[in-house]
Amino acid sequence: MEPSVIDVTLEEIRRLLERGEFERAIAALIRLRPADRAEAFADLPEDDQAALLPRLDIPAAADLLEELEDTAAASAAESLPTERLADVLDEMEPDEAADILGDLDPTRAAQALAEMEEAEEVRPLLGHPDESAGGLMTTDYVALRRQTTAAQAIEFLRQTWVEQAATPYYLYVVDRDRKLLGVVGLRELVVAPPETVAEALMARDIVYVTTDTDQEEAARQMSHYDLFALPVVDPQGVLQGVITHDDIIDVLEEEATEDVLSLGAVQAGSISDRPYWTLRAGEIVRSRFTWLLVLFVAQTLTSMVMRRFQDQLSAAITLALFIPLLIGTGGNAGSQTVATVIRGLALQEIEPRDAGRVLLREVRNGALLGLLLGPVAFIWVLLTGAAGEYALVVAATVFVLCIWANAVGALVPILAAVLGIDPTVMSAPLISTLVDATGLLIYFSVAIAVLGNL
């Protein structure tokens, strides 16, 4: 496979930096599109980043920091002198600037904020948690008074579009206290007669969130109602800012990353928004060790069960041959159910009060899967040369295991949600481990029932 443009440019930048040709390295970086530029920059060692960023002009540095992940952007910003950092932050979108300031050392952030010319646009955003709508919003929006005419609004946009509103899909109508009254779509404004006032054009049924709304809920609202921007108000209904679609894409990527890592029994933490090659070995080990330890301890349950039935295993060694098959089947069935239920919880298709219905549904699904897989297991055991009674034991165990694994996989995520724990933390590896141990109990119990006291 041919190397990508990013890879080729990255190698060129590295060679130029080794020779101290900084201006040519910057020129090579600038040739890339902004998103590709950020990807290439993030793959450079920190020393090279610190050498390049201060040499970029202010607009280019602002674009670069906006494209980087939050943690990487804050780390890169540390290489800028305070005065230049303030100039770069002034050039950025207010919400992006606030994200960087929030990740900087408090003393350094305060110094940069004091040097900024646009500090008043950023300062209100710093008091909100990062994962709330207030932490996600931008103050970069257009607000109209009720009696503003369409002609006046369009003229205002002509004058301020570039400077103030980067994405004025909607214009928000407010009263003198800036309480949100309605919203006017850009299309409606353009096609309206020039003398029509905003109050006559605005939609009064407004979809909005408050500053303390969780970012996942804000993302759901925007997705559900197909919005390009979502207004954010305080508890009194005063318009504070808007969340734009590009911010929501970042949220969805962040949440999906955390969920995937959790399903893989990896603690997301600070590694979820950083490129793979920038992670240190210690960080990777810390993110994986805790859950590996939990799973290791849980796996001892399997050893305890096998020790409990070691006499039966010694008497009928054939039973041991099919343990991997059964453990795999139960773990896989449970993981499939967990993934399905977690998705339903995330999309609010399933509520905790639906636990009984979900359990019955998944038990039924498990029974159907068991009826399909049981005969396959029966035939497979016979083909290995084992006796028919062993084939019956394995087939019956597969049937019961499918039901049991589906039941566990259905209830554990819902229980986690009730307890206020992220359901993805109850990850598929943990479910697999629990089902392994209990599955062996089921297997040996069925074997004793069919074969007698071995």
Side-chain angles (χ1 to χ4, degrees):
M1 186 174 67
E2 294 186 3
S4 67
V5 174
I6 298 175
D7 292 333
V8 172
T9 304
L10 189 57
E11 287 303 315
E12 179 184 356
I13 292 172
R14 286 171 175 156
R15 288 196 302 270
L16 292 170
L17 289 176
E18 287 175 358
R19 298 198 296 263
E21 299 182 41
F22 296 107
E23 295 305 319
R24 292 185 62 191
I26 289 172
L29 183 66
I30 295 299
R31 285 201 303 268
L32 296 172
R33 296 184 179 93
D36 296 338
R37 192 182 306 163
E39 183 178 338
F41 184 85
D43 284 339
L44 290 171
E46 290 184 2
D47 291 345
D48 289 344
Q49 293 181 5
L52 279 181
L53 186 61
R55 290 178 166 84
L56 294 174
D57 61 39
I58 288 174
D63 288 343
L64 180 61
L65 292 182
E66 284 186 339
E67 290 291 342
L68 290 172
E69 300 290 350
D70 290 346
T71 305
S75 177
E78 291 284 4
S79 65
L80 295 173
T82 300
E83 185 175 346
R84 188 168 184 82
L85 174 59
D87 292 338
V88 171
L89 293 173
D90 277 328
E91 188 75 17
M92 297 173 65
E93 296 292 325
D95 56 326
E96 300 283 359
D99 288 341
I100 289 179
L101 286 169
D103 289 333
L104 290 176
D105 174 78
T107 302
R108 182 82 196 284
Q111 292 171 347
L113 194 62
E115 295 284 341
M116 290 178 63
E117 294 181 2
E118 307 293 337
E120 292 308 312
E121 293 187 10
V122 176
R123 191 173 282 111
L125 304 177
L126 295 173
H128 302 287
D130 287 344
E131 295 188 352
S132 69
L136 197 62
M137 70 183 183
T138 178
T139 55
D140 199 2
Y141 61 88
V142 175
L144 306 175
R145 297 293 296 274
R146 283 181 286 191
Q147 297 305 311
T148 302
T149 66
Q152 290 172 330
I154 290 173
E155 181 59 29
F156 177 75
L157 283 177
R158 287 196 185 101
Q159 297 173 4
T160 64
W161 187 306
V162 175
E163 296 180 2
Q164 293 188 13
T167 53
Y169 306 111
Y170 308 110
L171 295 86
Y172 300 96
V173 184
V174 298
D175 64 13
R176 66 181 61 189
D177 297 319
R178 297 193 67 80
K179 287 188 176 180
L180 183 61
L181 302 176
V183 59
V184 178
L186 185 60
R187 178 182 179 280
E188 286 73 18
L189 186 69
V190 171
V191 301
E195 67 280 2
T196 308
V197 296
E199 188 173 27
L201 291 173
M202 71 181 186
R204 300 175 186 271
D205 184 18
I206 315 165
V207 178
Y208 64 88
V209 292
T210 59
T211 51
D212 59 353
T213 300
D214 185 84
Q215 63 179 11
E216 280 192 87
E217 177 59 27
R220 278 194 288 266
Q221 294 286 345
M222 290 191 71
S223 175
H224 183 70
Y225 293 105
D226 292 328
L227 301 175
F228 287 104
L230 181 67
V232 182
V233 302
D234 66 11
Q236 288 72 46
V238 177
L239 184 61
Q240 300 294 308
V242 298
I243 300 173
T244 55
H245 68 283
D246 55 330
D247 294 318
I248 288 300
I249 291 173
D250 292 339
V251 169
L252 294 175
E253 179 182 351
E254 176 186 333
E255 297 294 342
T257 298
E258 291 181 359
D259 289 348
V260 168
L261 290 175
S262 295
L263 284 170
V266 178
Q267 289 180 324
S270 62
I271 73 168
S272 59
D273 61 350
R274 293 172 53 195
Y276 176 83
W277 294 110
T278 66
L279 298 175
R280 297 183 176 90
E283 294 173 318
I284 295 175
V285 170
R286 281 196 301 272
S287 71
R288 299 179 184 180
F289 174 74
T290 301
W291 268 110
L292 280 178
L293 180 61
V294 171
L295 295 173
F296 177 83
V297 174
Q299 194 67 52
T300 62
L301 295 174
T302 302
S303 301
M304 292 170 63
V305 172
M306 294 186 70
R307 188 167 61 249
R308 166 66 179 80
F309 291 96
Q310 61 182 341
D311 292 339
Q312 284 82 355
L313 281 172
S314 299
I317 194 64
T318 304
L319 291 175
L321 300 177
F322 305 107
I323 288 177
L325 170 68
L326 296 172
I327 284 178
T329 300
N332 291 336
S335 298
Q336 289 176 333
T337 304
V338 164
T340 303
V341 174
I342 286 177
R343 178 185 181 278
L345 288 168
L347 297 178
Q348 296 186 331
E349 298 169 350
I350 297 174
E351 301 288 344
R353 64 174 180 270
D354 299 323
R357 292 175 56 202
V358 173
L359 177 61
L360 289 174
R361 181 185 181 92
E362 291 302 331
V363 166
R364 182 192 64 191
N365 293 340
L368 292 173
L369 289 169
L371 287 173
L372 292 171
L373 289 175
V376 176
F378 186 88
I379 295 171
W380 170 251
V381 174
L382 290 179
L383 290 175
T384 64
E389 56 265 30
Y390 291 104
L392 180 59
V393 169
V394 173
T397 302
V398 166
F399 175 75
V400 177
L401 260 183
C402 286
I403 296 175
W404 171 243
N406 274 30
V408 173
L411 290 181
V412 168
I414 295 177
L415 176 61
V418 170
L419 296 176
I421 303 172
D422 185 350
T424 57
V425 174
M426 297 296 190
S427 58
L430 178 59
I431 296 296
S432 297
T433 302
L434 293 175
V435 171
D436 288 351
T438 54
L440 286 177
L441 278 173
I442 293 171
Y443 182 36
F444 292 125
S445 298
V446 171
I448 291 172
V450 174
L451 303 176
N453 193 13
L454 300 173

